[in-house]
Amino acid sequence: MPDAHARELALARAVIALNEELDLPLVLDAFLGAAAELTAARFAAINVLDSSGQSTAFYVHGMAASVHEQIGRPPRPIGVLGEIPREGTISLEEVAAHPASIGLPEGHPPLDSFLGAGLHVGGRAFGQLYLANKPGGFHPADEQAIQALAAAASVAIDHAQLYDLARQRERWLVATQRITMDLLSDPGAEGALQRTIDAALELSGAAAAALVLQGVDDAWVMEVTAGEGADHLLGLALPPGGTGMDVIRSGEGLIAAEPPGSNVLAPVMSYGPTLYAPLVAQGHAVGLLMLWRTRGEPEFDAGDLSLAQRFAGQAALALSLSELSHVKSVSALLEERAMLADDLHDFVSQELFATAMQIEAIAEDSDQNVATRLRGTLEHVKRAQHEVRGVMSSLAGQRSKEPIAERLRRELLLARSSLGFEPSVVAEWPHLDAAVVGDPTLADDLVAVTRELVSNVARHARAHAVRIVLAADEGRVEVRLEDDGIGPAGATQRHSGTSNLANRALRRNGTFSLTERWPGEDRPGCVAVWNVECARREGD
């Protein structure tokens, strides 16, 4: 039969054409063109469906783009489309005559004859094939040809998906390597964290993303965000009983059609498909990658979760290594400071001491006028000795025996250069001196906390004014810093030191908090309070 032979040749050519392409949209376009040619259908379409039956992509052949745009949304598998069997085909002479027909959307071209078939890839439902408006209607031979073509298309689609997955993996791998290098080259670079979340957003096709890290008071906070609604997400703490915390505790990621659980943050509820991937290092979660797509977008699948978890795992390792690198750098800096302190003691301080003794001896053997001038010079040398001892104490860190008031005053003087202006300071110096008597480590903590708070403001707050209050009373010591900057969201980054401040407070039965100074304002400012126990003074 020449018609049968021609159909077989056309089918063979279609199968070959399908396997020449690896890009999925091109494979689907080739499939539609072949299906329309084999059956002489005027219209052909593929509706790609997710696990819940929602359309995630729609490909059309034979319909003008303007008409397709006018129709708008792709069809849902209801009405006649809902009658398409999972296996096999459905063939109708007149669509409108079928009992399940519910009509066509406005602007849709009229349909008469119809052939529908379910498509499967790798044993999973992929979508539906629609063919329509064949002159004279579809025949059993058309159904057989479509089933044969669909089987070939299944293999071609599977290959295209595997190719796409390989390309995705390569992009994730390149991004992971770049992020790892960023974090290791500069452990304190918050830009690296932002680039991490930006890369995850782009590679996953998500609309919004958040990187959750442990903050103050054991809260897990969205510290870096990107995409739609990022400003509303930044700084939000995960609900203790929410699904996000369950993922952090279990170390196992999840995907869902919408933000899962009954305890969902208000800004998150508007999103659709959801993916949560924990950042796990050495068996413990150190963070959480949260990705959301808009409602109606394709759901994340197991492949997406696998790639995101690999990315998150590498990011967790990079974060851990960067923190170790940071600790090593700090340790090296402390060793260098100690060496400088020793050199100052061995050379400069000893020389000044010897010079002072010589001047004093010469003054005793000189006449009154010369002796007076020498004693004035001697006072200058002694002041230089005092300054050198102060620098030595500062460099030596916890070995310092210098009064806490002098150490803090030096930090506050240094604050001018980092802030770019002079902060306002209120301090109870006698009370602070009494609070650290017998506990030199508390003095070290006070200096470190003051330094870190000022550093945070200088790096994140974009403030124009700062007020620092140092107080001690009733067995407590407090460092309070108020600024007029952009608010706590600017200081909640992982490497801003807030976690270190909180840990220092916890070790001393204390607290650390960050709150807005003027809630609701464009620049709400920030109030940071570090309050811990100290030895009570007599009379308290």
Side-chain angles (χ1 to χ4, degrees):
M1 293 176 57
D3 287 345
H5 181 66
R7 186 185 294 272
E8 288 175 1
L9 287 176
L11 181 60
R13 286 196 301 270
V15 171
I16 293 171
L18 283 174
N19 286 281
E20 287 178 344
E21 298 292 349
L22 283 175
D23 187 71
L24 183 58
L26 294 179
V27 169
L28 296 178
D29 285 339
F31 178 37
L32 288 175
E37 180 183 352
L38 280 172
T39 62
R42 180 180 176 187
F43 300 126
I46 288 178
N47 197 6
V48 182
L49 305 175
D50 62 21
S51 58
S52 64
Q54 297 299 311
S55 177
T56 62
F58 193 69
Y59 298 84
V60 184
H61 174 86
M63 184 181 292
S66 59
V67 175
H68 187 211
E69 291 174 3
Q70 182 182 354
I71 296 171
R73 63 172 179 81
R76 291 175 292 170
I78 58 176
V80 172
L81 302 184
E83 299 297 310
I84 297 175
R86 177 178 171 82
E87 303 289 343
T89 61
I90 181 174
S91 180
L92 305 175
E93 290 185 7
E94 187 67 45
V95 173
H98 192 280
S101 177
I102 56 175
L104 298 171
E106 185 178 351
H108 197 291
L111 297 182
D112 42 60
S113 58
F114 177 82
L115 176 62
L119 298 177
H120 299 83
V121 175
R124 302 183 308 276
F126 178 77
Q128 294 179 330
L129 170 66
Y130 311 139
L131 298 168
N133 290 17
K134 174 181 178 175
F138 294 96
H139 305 294
D142 295 320
E143 296 181 47
Q144 293 173 3
I146 287 303
Q147 290 187 55
L149 183 61
S154 173
V155 176
I157 292 170
D158 191 33
H159 289 168
Q161 288 180 326
L162 289 174
Y163 176 68
D164 186 57
L165 181 61
R167 289 194 302 173
Q168 262 192 304
R169 284 177 175 163
E170 182 180 6
R171 289 193 294 268
W172 281 98
L173 179 61
V174 170
T176 300
Q177 292 172 336
R178 186 172 64 248
I179 296 305
T180 301
M181 293 300 296
D182 276 354
L183 288 170
L184 292 180
S185 62
D186 188 355
E190 290 162 15
L193 292 177
Q194 188 63 54
R195 287 189 291 275
T196 299
I197 204 68
D198 289 342
L201 181 77
E202 178 183 356
L203 293 170
S204 65
L211 182 60
V212 176
L213 299 170
Q214 192 167 18
V216 299
D217 297 330
D218 291 328
W220 289 80
V221 182
M222 297 184 193
E223 296 193 358
V224 190
T225 58
E228 297 174 11
D231 292 343
H232 299 294
L233 297 173
L234 185 64
L236 292 180
L238 297 187
T243 305
M245 287 303 303
D246 290 341
V247 172
I248 289 173
R249 284 188 285 264
S250 68
E252 297 180 1
L254 65 79
I255 52 177
E258 60 184 14
S262 57
N263 196 356
V264 180
L265 293 166
V268 175
M269 293 178 67
S270 62
Y271 297 121
T274 300
L275 186 154
Y276 295 163
L279 278 67
V280 179
Q282 299 179 333
H284 300 285
V286 297
L288 177 66
L289 174 63
M290 309 180 82
L291 300 170
W292 300 279
R293 288 175 177 163
T294 55
R295 292 187 179 274
E297 289 293 310
E299 294 181 18
F300 293 103
D301 57 27
D304 294 321
L305 179 60
S306 176
L307 290 173
Q309 289 197 135
R310 289 186 183 184
F311 178 80
Q314 289 297 315
L317 179 61
L319 274 173
S320 299
L321 290 175
S322 72
E323 289 185 351
L324 288 174
S325 176
H326 180 61
V327 169
K328 184 177 179 181
S329 298
V330 171
S331 177
L333 177 61
L334 291 175
E335 289 181 7
E336 184 178 354
R337 286 161 65 104
M339 289 176 60
L340 287 172
D342 290 339
D343 288 344
L344 283 173
H345 176 269
D346 293 341
F347 302 109
V348 180
S349 181
Q350 295 290 6
E351 285 294 327
L352 286 172
F353 180 73
T355 301
M357 291 184 63
Q358 290 176 357
I359 292 174
E360 196 168 5
I362 294 172
E364 291 179 357
D365 295 333
S366 302
D367 60 54
Q368 187 62 33
N369 290 336
V370 174
T372 299
R373 294 174 62 187
L374 286 172
R375 290 191 181 95
T377 303
L378 181 61
E379 288 302 315
H380 286 291
V381 173
K382 288 183 176 180
R383 279 198 294 273
Q385 281 183 286
H386 177 76
E387 290 299 323
V388 169
R389 280 198 298 270
V391 173
M392 287 165 52
S393 297
S394 179
L395 289 171
Q398 292 187 0
R399 293 186 295 167
S400 176
K401 303 299 181 184
E402 187 179 16
I404 184 61
E406 293 191 25
R407 295 180 65 187
L408 286 171
R409 285 191 180 103
R410 184 175 295 108
E411 288 298 328
L412 296 172
L413 285 173
L414 294 173
R416 296 179 187 175
S417 58
S418 61
L419 292 171
F421 55 84
E422 185 170 357
S424 169
V425 178
V426 178
E428 300 174 352
W429 298 122
H431 293 177
L432 289 169
D433 284 333
V436 300
V437 170
D439 187 359
T441 60
L442 176 56
D444 294 323
D445 276 349
L446 284 171
V447 172
V449 166
T450 303
R451 180 185 302 148
E452 192 63 55
L453 287 175
V454 170
S455 176
N456 280 345
V457 173
R459 286 186 292 166
H460 309 294
R462 304 176 207 165
H464 306 299
V466 168
R467 181 173 183 264
I468 302 172
V469 180
L470 305 165
D473 195 17
E474 298 182 354
R476 311 287 298 183
V477 63
E478 181 175 287
V479 180
R480 180 186 185 91
L481 187 147
E482 302 171 353
D483 68 63
D484 63 351
I486 62 174
T492 55
Q493 304 297 336
R494 173 66 172 174
H495 294 287
S496 65
T498 53
S499 58
N500 290 333
L501 294 167
N503 289 334
R504 286 181 185 272
L506 288 174
R507 287 196 296 267
R508 295 187 174 277
N509 296 321
T511 59
F512 173 66
S513 65
L514 287 173
T515 57
E516 290 185 347
R517 191 176 180 186
W518 303 292
E521 298 293 327
D522 291 338
R523 289 175 60 87
C526 182
V527 178
V529 180
W530 190 83
N531 186 296
V532 299
E533 283 186 355
C534 66
R536 285 182 173 270
R537 305 190 313 274
E538 292 185 8
D540 280 354

